[in-house]
Amino acid sequence: MKRRINLIIKNASELITMRSAKAGPRCGHDMHELEIIADGAVAVDKDKIIDVGRSKTIAAKYQAAKTIDAGGKTVTPGLIDAHTHPVFAGDRSNEFEMRLKGATYQEISAAGGGIKSTVKAVRKASEKELVHISLPRLESFISCGTTTIDAKSGYGLTLDDELKMLRVIRDLGKIQPLELIPTFLGAHEIPPEYQGRKNEYVKLITEQMIPAVINDKLAEFCDIFCEKGVFEIEESRYILDFARKHGLKIKLHADEFAPLGGAELAAELGAISADHLMAVSDKGIRAMKEKGVIAVLLPGTTFTLGLKNYAPARKIIDNGNPMALATDFNPGTCFCESLPAIMNIACTQMKMTPAEALTATTINAAWAIGRGESLGSMERGKQADLVIWNIPSYKHIPYHFGVNLAMAVIKRGKRVI
Amino acid sequence: MKRRINLIIKNASELITMRSAKAGPRCGHDMHELEIIADGAVAVDKDKIIDVGRSKTIAAKYQAAKTIDAGGKTVTPGLIDAHTHPVFAGDRSNEFEMRLKGATYQEISAAGGGIKSTVKAVRKASEKELVHISLPRLESFISCGTTTIDAKSGYGLTLDDELKMLRVIRDLGKIQPLELIPTFLGAHEIPPEYQGRKNEYVKLITEQMIPAVINDKLAEFCDIFCEKGVFEIEESRYILDFARKHGLKIKLHADEFAPLGGAELAAELGAISADHLMAVSDKGIRAMKEKGVIAVLLPGTTFTLGLKNYAPARKIIDNGNPMALATDFNPGTCFCESLPAIMNIACTQMKMTPAEALTATTINAAWAIGRGESLGSMERGKQADLVIWNIPSYKHIPYHFGVNLAMAVIKRGKRVI
């Protein structure tokens, strides 16, 4: 007697489960050990995966209300984007052009550009407006095969505007299928009205913002832009330590442009991840490995800025650190919702392999957003977030670029694309 | 009394006509002088553009059977891809992975990879099979906003297989809307069976292939891979001169890896374009300018190969040379049908501006494929090939990457997407 279930996806030329004997994020050689089931199938009931195997085996065990034939196509877990800034207002395409013409950061800032222009636009916008203009972006994420994202505040920089952004993120999660993990990033920049009074802004963050965020249950993570001239190591330690003690998980923008020691701080504080790492030191890489801090690399920003010094992905992987890739979707330095585009950049510019890039955007990204137990791989009991790709092998995801290869996206067991 | 016509596209936030006071491809500062009509409209009758202007003006003059509201969106001429290899069989994703792991060209070749593997697969495939596997690629081109492509043979390398490829290109043009300009590229590589007998292969090209191609009217252009160790300058001159004298227009793959003098040869022979140019000399750039040879840059290959030495786009533009951008879509070094992706790479990695990148993929690309009089801009009498982009300004085409921004594509006056 076959068990009745909701959905079977069958006949995949490659079904990439991302299962592993070991729990936790993968690192080193383990990033290559993909379980690839040829002629594979996955069985789904309600919002959960209940089985994976050869199509014949699955067909013998289950009777599904709906079957999708993935013949000649590749099936993977839904991609997970561990670092995004999806809620913003305004238009910074002029700044993109200015930078190409050689304008410096200072010139762009003097012309009203940079992050401050986004802060200005976000403060002006209502919650309703922010929901409205963010929705199509979330559709773009899903259409490219992403089923869950980290979503940061950080363009409000007042108590009210940061809470507003986090409520927008909460509400967006309720009205469309993409899952958003909320991250409080009040320490994204020193707001203009606090110039020269950074300590007072730090006080505002710890004494008012973080308590309010926790009270309203608006974020799981606290993040900070730890960078020379923005939040230095001491201030970052103070804010993150405070957030952690009050119950938020922590991560940080670390060592993006200057080797400030953000990676070491991440290890010291037990952060879940340290992100960017273009300028990370060898000591920082070792410290992160020791404490299991996940390196979240964002090569789309390096690429967009036209810089040559990508984060040392090979060194990080070969050292045995766990690593994830993310878009850093934002209007200034990476206007890109597509993780496949980032995987392509990671492979061609940082010499990651397709297997490493897929590991870094599924199971490792799940751990980087605190969802390693429930997302990121096809295993019995995990949430049924799946992508059917119109390609014969997963290697085509980074190989065939510029076009959308995702032909079907399943979120919580339901087909949404 | 209003004139009755087929189609009006109205209310565009930006209608970019690409019209210019001067005929011919644009160069230097002229690549920046975009005519941008705010609240713009374009009037189409049958397969031709008949007028452009402000929406009110167009509405006062014409009554259309169909009207598309492009409110808040950008309208441009259909993009033109001046260099592609869209017909091939086989799968080279393993080679992509091998290269990332550090395999040399020789190692890839020894493992059965490289262009020779594509030649083997194309020779095996029937015309019907080649049509079948190429069709989805043409759909991808269109879905990304491209309405016309140069389409090369060059994976057959026998008389029969080259003619087969060109017939596939001809037939593909008849059964779907993307327009293909056929280019004979029998001199793409020395086929394995002619190793050590290059002169005999050159003879086969000139004495048999070119006459047959001309007799069957299967190509407009003759192209050649002019590169150290493949077809050197003397052989390239011989073949191209022969092709030109027998009525084919000529273009060449020039100075891609070694500064062989391909650009100078293009100038000497009056080629329409010289393509690649990563290693072009200053002398070559000057010679091309003098003779009006269009530089067709293909930064997607430099990017895919993870190389740092992009073609000197700024030097070429600032020297006043006409220039176009193309994908070089092919299974080895650039598996990408998307010109917007290439525009993004051109801007971020070669410091082209969005205006230069759009000029290089519309009017200049039209001249590079011999269609400057009929395609590439919105002017009365030109073919109605148009794209409506889901963005407020054309600058978003290279700025917002990894996702498909084309929301409607018009080919010969008919909406095809």
Side-chain angles (χ1 to χ4, degrees):
Chain A
M1 184 69 176
K2 290 185 188 181
R3 178 171 165 194
R4 287 171 186 275
I5 59 171
N6 292 130
L7 174 68
I8 289 176
I9 301 172
K10 66 175 184 181
N11 297 341
S13 60
E14 292 186 357
L15 187 99
I16 318 284
T17 67
M18 301 310 303
R19 286 191 299 194
S20 174
K22 282 182 273 180
R26 312 244 199 127
C27 55
H29 187 68
D30 201 31
M31 289 181 82
H32 282 287
E33 288 189 341
L34 304 188
E35 180 189 38
I36 303 178
I37 303 179
D39 190 15
V42 51
V44 172
D45 199 38
K46 299 195 183 77
D47 62 340
K48 295 284 192 298
I49 289 163
I50 54 163
D51 210 344
V52 296
R54 303 277 294 196
S55 294
K56 268 192 184 172
T57 316
I58 296 296
K61 288 165 76 176
Y62 306 97
Q63 179 159 358
K66 192 174 158 51
T67 299
I68 301 176
D69 189 336
K73 307 189 194 319
T74 298
V75 179
T76 70
L79 302 183
I80 295 171
D81 196 336
H83 186 132
T84 89
H85 307 255
V87 175
F88 57 85
D91 188 315
R92 286 167 68 183
S93 57
N94 277 330
E95 177 183 332
F96 176 76
E97 187 183 36
M98 282 180 73
R99 196 189 304 121
L100 297 173
K101 288 179 174 172
T104 62
Y105 181 84
Q106 285 75 17
E107 288 164 339
I108 288 168
S109 186
I115 183 175
K116 288 185 181 72
S117 76
T118 301
V119 171
K120 211 170 153 184
V122 165
R123 286 179 177 179
K124 256 194 215 159
S126 70
E127 273 178 59
K128 208 175 151 187
E129 285 165 345
L130 287 174
V131 166
H132 178 71
I133 55 183
S134 301
L135 262 177
R137 295 173 197 146
L138 305 191
E139 283 169 29
S140 281
F141 277 104
I142 295 176
S143 73
C144 298
T146 296
T147 47
T148 305
I149 64 172
D150 153 89
K152 301 181 195 299
S153 69
Y155 295 125
L157 309 188
T158 67
L159 175 62
D160 285 352
D161 291 308
E162 284 296 308
L163 294 176
K164 176 176 78 179
M165 283 194 73
L166 289 170
R167 284 192 301 267
V168 167
I169 290 168
R170 178 195 64 195
D171 294 349
L172 283 168
K174 291 179 183 165
I175 59 174
Q176 54 73 54
L178 184 69
E179 191 168 350
L180 290 83
I181 311 301
T183 294
F184 167 64
L185 181 58
H188 196 194
E189 177 59 289
I190 322 298
E193 65 275 15
Y194 281 89
Q195 285 305 327
R197 302 187 293 133
K198 204 201 294 188
N199 281 344
E200 289 178 46
Y201 187 61
V202 170
K203 241 172 112 174
L204 176 70
I205 291 173
T206 50
E207 294 184 4
Q208 295 190 45
M209 290 185 184
I210 291 176
V213 165
I214 290 171
N215 187 61
D216 295 354
K217 297 196 175 65
L218 286 172
E220 284 188 29
F221 282 89
C222 179
D223 192 352
I224 189 166
F225 187 43
C226 174
E227 183 65 40
K228 210 164 142 64
V230 192
F231 296 96
E232 308 266 350
I233 290 292
E234 275 311 308
E235 295 143 0
S236 300
R237 179 184 287 114
Y238 179 74
I239 291 171
L240 291 174
D241 191 47
F242 184 93
R244 185 183 57 159
K245 283 186 178 144
H246 287 77
L248 294 174
K249 285 174 276 190
I250 59 173
K251 47 174 60 198
L252 55 164
H253 290 58
D255 302 326
E256 181 175 4
F257 299 110
L260 211 62
E264 291 87 332
L265 180 65
E268 175 194 326
L269 296 174
I272 304 285
S273 76
D275 302 18
H276 278 297
L277 303 174
M278 274 155 60
V280 68
S281 70
D282 289 354
K283 196 168 147 249
I285 293 174
R286 287 194 302 270
M288 284 174 63
K289 182 182 176 187
E290 201 170 303
K291 295 296 169 65
V293 180
I294 301 168
V296 177
L297 302 194
L298 312 168
T301 63
T302 320
F303 171 79
T304 298
L305 294 171
L307 302 175
K308 303 296 173 200
N309 59 324
Y310 285 86
R314 281 257 55 89
K315 196 189 267 187
I316 290 168
I317 293 172
D318 296 341
N319 189 57
N321 290 48
M323 184 241 262
L325 286 167
T327 58
D328 194 15
F329 176 70
N330 80 84
T333 55
C334 190
F335 201 174
C336 174
E337 298 96 332
S338 165
L339 273 172
I342 301 304
M343 293 164 75
N344 167 256
I345 295 171
C347 288
T348 58
Q349 308 305 303
M350 304 198 302
K351 306 301 173 197
M352 286 174 63
T353 66
E356 289 166 346
L358 187 62
T359 306
T361 50
T362 53
I363 187 65
N364 281 13
W367 286 104
I369 58 168
R371 291 290 188 282
E373 305 284 359
S374 57
L375 302 177
S377 61
M378 293 185 214
E379 302 184 60
R380 174 186 287 269
K382 278 202 168 182
Q383 192 165 291
D385 295 356
L386 302 161
V387 183
I388 305 175
W389 304 89
N390 194 14
I391 48 177
S393 159
Y394 77 94
K395 293 178 189 176
H396 282 247
I397 303 176
Y399 165 50
H400 188 169
F401 72 104
V403 297
N404 193 352
L405 305 169
M407 58 164 289
V409 179
I410 316 290
K411 180 67 188 176
R412 296 189 176 99
K414 287 206 178 107
R415 183 165 180 175
V416 293
I417 296 270
Chain B
M1 184 70 178
K2 291 184 189 181
R3 177 173 166 192
R4 286 171 186 276
I5 60 172
N6 292 131
L7 174 67
I8 289 175
I9 299 171
K10 67 176 185 182
N11 298 340
S13 60
E14 292 186 356
L15 187 99
I16 317 283
T17 68
M18 300 311 301
R19 287 192 298 195
S20 172
K22 282 181 273 180
R26 314 247 197 123
C27 54
H29 187 69
D30 202 31
M31 289 182 81
H32 281 288
E33 288 190 339
L34 304 188
E35 180 189 38
I36 303 178
I37 303 178
D39 191 17
V42 51
V44 171
D45 199 37
K46 300 195 183 74
D47 63 339
K48 295 284 191 297
I49 290 163
I50 55 165
D51 210 344
V52 296
R54 303 276 293 196
S55 294
K56 267 192 183 170
T57 315
I58 296 295
K61 289 165 77 176
Y62 306 97
Q63 181 159 356
K66 190 173 159 54
T67 300
I68 301 176
D69 189 337
K73 308 189 193 318
T74 297
V75 179
T76 70
L79 302 184
I80 295 171
D81 196 335
H83 186 133
T84 89
H85 307 255
V87 175
F88 57 85
D91 188 316
R92 286 167 68 184
S93 57
N94 276 330
E95 177 183 332
F96 175 77
E97 186 184 37
M98 282 180 74
R99 197 190 302 119
L100 298 173
K101 288 180 173 171
T104 63
Y105 181 84
Q106 285 74 17
E107 288 165 338
I108 288 168
S109 187
I115 182 174
K116 287 184 183 72
S117 76
T118 301
V119 170
K120 209 170 156 186
V122 164
R123 286 179 177 179
K124 256 194 215 158
S126 69
E127 274 179 58
K128 209 175 151 189
E129 284 165 346
L130 287 173
V131 166
H132 178 71
I133 55 183
S134 302
L135 262 176
R137 297 173 196 146
L138 305 190
E139 283 168 30
S140 282
F141 278 103
I142 295 177
S143 73
C144 298
T146 296
T147 49
T148 305
I149 64 171
D150 153 89
K152 302 181 196 297
S153 68
Y155 295 125
L157 309 188
T158 68
L159 174 63
D160 285 351
D161 291 307
E162 283 297 308
L163 294 176
K164 175 177 79 178
M165 282 195 74
L166 289 170
R167 284 192 302 267
V168 167
I169 290 168
R170 177 195 64 195
D171 294 348
L172 283 167
K174 291 178 183 165
I175 59 174
Q176 54 74 52
L178 184 69
E179 192 168 348
L180 290 82
I181 311 300
T183 294
F184 167 64
L185 180 58
H188 196 193
E189 177 60 288
I190 322 297
E193 64 275 16
Y194 280 90
Q195 285 305 329
R197 301 186 295 133
K198 205 202 295 187
N199 281 344
E200 289 177 47
Y201 188 61
V202 170
K203 240 172 115 177
L204 176 69
I205 291 173
T206 52
E207 294 184 4
Q208 296 189 45
M209 290 186 185
I210 290 177
V213 165
I214 290 171
N215 187 62
D216 295 354
K217 296 196 176 68
L218 287 173
E220 286 188 29
F221 282 89
C222 180
D223 193 353
I224 190 166
F225 187 44
C226 175
E227 183 67 39
K228 210 166 142 63
V230 192
F231 297 94
E232 308 266 350
I233 290 292
E234 276 311 308
E235 295 143 0
S236 301
R237 179 185 287 114
Y238 179 74
I239 291 171
L240 291 173
D241 192 46
F242 184 92
R244 186 183 57 160
K245 284 187 176 143
H246 288 77
L248 294 174
K249 287 175 274 189
I250 58 173
K251 49 174 60 199
L252 54 165
H253 290 59
D255 301 328
E256 181 176 2
F257 299 110
L260 209 62
E264 290 88 331
L265 180 66
E268 176 194 325
L269 296 173
I272 305 285
S273 76
D275 303 18
H276 277 299
L277 301 175
M278 274 156 59
V280 68
S281 70
D282 289 356
K283 195 167 150 252
I285 294 175
R286 286 194 302 270
M288 284 175 62
K289 182 183 176 187
E290 202 171 300
K291 295 295 168 65
V293 180
I294 300 169
V296 177
L297 303 194
L298 312 167
T301 63
T302 321
F303 170 79
T304 298
L305 294 171
L307 303 175
K308 303 296 173 202
N309 59 324
Y310 285 87
R314 282 257 56 88
K315 196 189 268 189
I316 290 168
I317 293 172
D318 296 343
N319 189 56
N321 289 48
M323 182 242 261
L325 286 167
T327 58
D328 194 14
F329 176 71
N330 81 83
T333 56
C334 190
F335 201 173
C336 173
E337 298 97 332
S338 165
L339 273 172
I342 301 303
M343 293 164 74
N344 167 256
I345 294 171
C347 288
T348 58
Q349 309 305 303
M350 305 198 300
K351 305 302 173 197
M352 285 176 64
T353 66
E356 288 167 345
L358 187 61
T359 306
T361 50
T362 53
I363 186 65
N364 282 14
W367 286 104
I369 57 166
R371 291 292 188 281
E373 305 284 359
S374 58
L375 302 177
S377 61
M378 292 184 215
E379 301 184 61
R380 175 187 287 270
K382 278 201 168 183
Q383 192 165 290
D385 294 357
L386 302 161
V387 182
I388 306 175
W389 304 89
N390 194 15
I391 47 177
S393 160
Y394 77 94
K395 293 177 189 176
H396 283 247
I397 302 176
Y399 165 49
H400 189 169
F401 72 104
V403 297
N404 192 353
L405 305 168
M407 57 164 288
V409 179
I410 316 289
K411 180 65 188 178
R412 297 188 176 102
K414 288 208 178 105
R415 184 164 179 175
V416 293
I417 296 270

